[in-house]
Amino acid sequence: MALMNKVQNIVVLYGWRRNAFLLSSSRSISTFATGCENRILKSPSLVSLDFPDVWNSSSTNYSEPVMDKLASEHTARIIDGKQVAEEIISKVANEVTRMKKTIGEVPGLGVILVGERKDSIIYVHNKIKACEEAGIKFKLTEFSDNCTDDEVCDAIMQFNVDPSFHGILVQLPLPQHLNEERILNVVKFDKDVDGFHPMNIGNLAMRGREPLFIPCTPKGCVELLIRYGVEIMGKKAVVIGRSNIVGLPASLLLQRHHATVTVVTALTSNPEEITREADILISGVGVPNMVRGSWVKPGAVVVDVGTYPIEDKSCEQGYRLIGDVCYEEASRVASLITPVPGGVGPMTVAMLLYNTLESAARKFNFVLTS
């Protein structure tokens, strides 16, 4: 396989929220996982989270902030995304096996890879490996850097009409000469397992709506928060970055979970001041060690989506990976933190597989047991 040959030659990897009546009539976000240990995902449906906003005078009450400092020897608890992803993929595999035995069908994922970006090649390789582990049918269509929009769109159309494929993924980013908006719009809505179709993003943004698919990386981030017992409702969340892949959908998803969300962009004049107010901090911009310990509120939960290689001759590959967050500093201040690698990355792949399984189950009216 051409992709496998490319992977073998790679030595560098690039990267990048309460009203009293609510508490008496419904569970808080952090309790949704209780009693659903057999589910593949612990995250509830978005529509089940929707309820009216009721403001009262207590909303404006002021209390002095707590300024207790964590001891200098404090170390944050690690959020093990790799372990959680393995558990999810194992359950996906069980459902795929049951689907095959019951109805003789398996989920199928079609992937389009354009160009020779080393990070994209590795990401696709990881997705192929995970699909093989879960028993999901996989087909890769590759194009050179100088391909045209029409060529890529034609390949997507083939997956659109093929009933054996229930998910389509266009590996991003695409070469600059290609029209990403046009290409992604060609992906059939009910096969958009990456969750980037305007209808999926629109339904994610609107209360009372449930998208068919939530973008994999933000979905993985929130799944980790829920599994580690992090309360989202009513908390201050800051998302660094507003990309269509991570920042925008992450901010929308956190709002659907009733967090108060602030987005920090490259044009924000006081990012450190803003991030220090965050109970939950998610960064996904690909700027290594940008988020220092001084940016983090004591006891905050830090989710690092960034991935960046730096030269390190002591490592076998000649490099090691770091994230947007200066781990050594932030781990002395945060309560929970994702490492890089082994944090959000594996969860992105696991969510892709789950979305593909869910798409196939929807098509075949197959009821998932877990």
Side-chain angles (χ1 to χ4, degrees):
M1 176 184 264
L3 177 63
M4 297 301 295
N5 292 332
K6 293 174 185 176
V7 170
Q8 292 173 1
N9 294 326
I10 291 174
V11 294
V12 177
L13 171 62
Y14 298 105
W16 60 314
R17 172 175 159 182
R18 151 186 318 114
N19 298 302
F21 85 95
L22 292 174
L23 297 178
S24 63
S25 62
S26 65
R27 296 168 293 178
S28 70
I29 301 304
S30 62
T31 64
F32 270 104
T34 304
C36 60
E37 287 78 9
N38 292 326
R39 290 173 48 187
I40 298 176
L41 303 185
K42 310 303 181 185
S43 306
S45 69
L46 296 184
V47 170
S48 72
L49 299 175
D50 291 334
F51 45 73
D53 283 335
V54 179
W55 295 79
N56 54 55
S57 58
S58 63
S59 300
T60 58
N61 285 348
Y62 175 81
S63 60
E64 291 290 336
V66 177
M67 300 299 292
D68 293 339
K69 293 186 177 180
L70 298 177
S72 59
E73 64 271 14
H74 166 84
T75 301
R77 181 184 174 196
I78 296 174
I79 298 177
D80 192 341
K82 182 178 180 181
Q83 179 182 349
V84 174
E86 289 174 351
E87 293 172 0
I88 292 172
I89 292 174
S90 177
K91 290 187 176 182
V92 169
N94 291 339
E95 290 296 279
V96 172
T97 298
R98 191 172 67 86
M99 179 183 288
K100 186 175 182 180
K101 289 181 178 180
T102 304
I103 63 176
E105 301 282 357
V106 297
L109 177 64
V111 176
I112 294 176
L113 174 63
V114 182
E116 303 287 334
R117 280 182 61 110
K118 296 178 175 65
D119 57 338
S120 292
I121 292 171
I122 290 179
Y123 295 155
V124 170
H125 169 70
N126 292 340
K127 292 165 185 175
I128 292 174
K129 182 179 178 182
C131 282
E132 292 173 345
E133 292 176 2
I136 292 177
K137 175 182 176 180
F138 189 100
K139 182 178 179 180
L140 173 66
T141 299
E142 299 181 75
F143 291 100
S144 63
D145 277 306
N146 59 359
C147 69
T148 66
D149 286 6
D150 288 341
E151 289 176 306
V152 179
C153 290
D154 287 344
I156 295 173
M157 289 300 299
Q158 292 181 35
F159 285 129
N160 279 344
V161 300
D162 191 329
S164 67
F165 291 97
H166 313 96
I168 303 171
L169 181 152
V170 179
Q171 185 63 47
L172 301 177
L174 294 170
Q176 290 187 353
H177 74 280
L178 295 179
N179 187 328
E180 182 176 301
E181 179 181 355
R182 178 195 172 194
I183 290 171
L184 293 181
N185 283 346
V186 175
V187 177
K188 196 175 180 183
F189 171 53
D190 59 3
K191 294 188 178 185
D192 172 41
V193 289
D194 239 354
F196 297 147
H197 192 284
M199 288 185 65
N200 277 318
I201 293 294
N203 286 335
L204 174 61
M206 299 178 68
R207 297 175 59 183
R209 304 290 183 91
E210 189 83 46
L212 288 182
F213 307 102
I214 298 172
C216 299
T217 298
K219 185 173 183 175
C221 292
V222 170
E223 181 70 19
L224 285 175
L225 294 177
I226 291 173
R227 284 177 176 256
Y228 275 78
V230 177
E231 185 176 0
I232 305 175
M233 178 187 290
K235 300 301 181 179
K236 292 182 179 180
V238 172
V239 177
I240 304 178
R242 54 180 171 181
S243 70
N244 291 338
I245 300 173
V246 179
L248 173 62
S251 64
L252 295 174
L253 185 56
L254 288 168
Q255 288 183 71
R256 291 296 295 268
H257 282 263
H258 307 289
T260 300
V261 183
T262 301
V263 176
V264 170
T265 76
L267 300 178
T268 302
S269 61
N270 55 341
E272 180 177 347
E273 179 181 338
I274 294 172
T275 59
R276 278 188 56 84
E277 296 181 354
D279 302 303
I280 301 169
L281 176 59
I282 298 179
S283 183
V285 293
V287 179
N289 283 342
M290 179 184 73
V291 179
R292 316 300 302 197
S294 61
W295 289 40
V296 181
K297 175 183 178 180
V301 178
V302 178
V303 180
D304 191 353
V305 184
T307 305
Y308 195 88
I310 60 171
E311 183 179 352
D312 189 337
K313 295 182 180 179
S314 67
C315 297
E316 183 178 351
Q317 301 92 340
Y319 68 92
R320 61 185 174 90
L321 298 177
I322 62 174
D324 291 354
V325 179
C326 182
Y327 184 87
E328 292 77 9
E329 295 180 10
S331 62
R332 292 290 183 180
V333 185
S335 61
L336 286 163
I337 190 169
T338 60
V340 175
V344 176
M347 288 297 293
T348 299
V349 177
M351 295 302 100
L352 173 65
L353 268 59
Y354 177 80
N355 281 356
T356 303
L357 168 65
E358 194 174 42
S359 180
R362 185 183 296 116
K363 176 183 177 181
F364 298 125
N365 294 316
F366 182 81
V367 179
L368 300 176
T369 60
S370 58

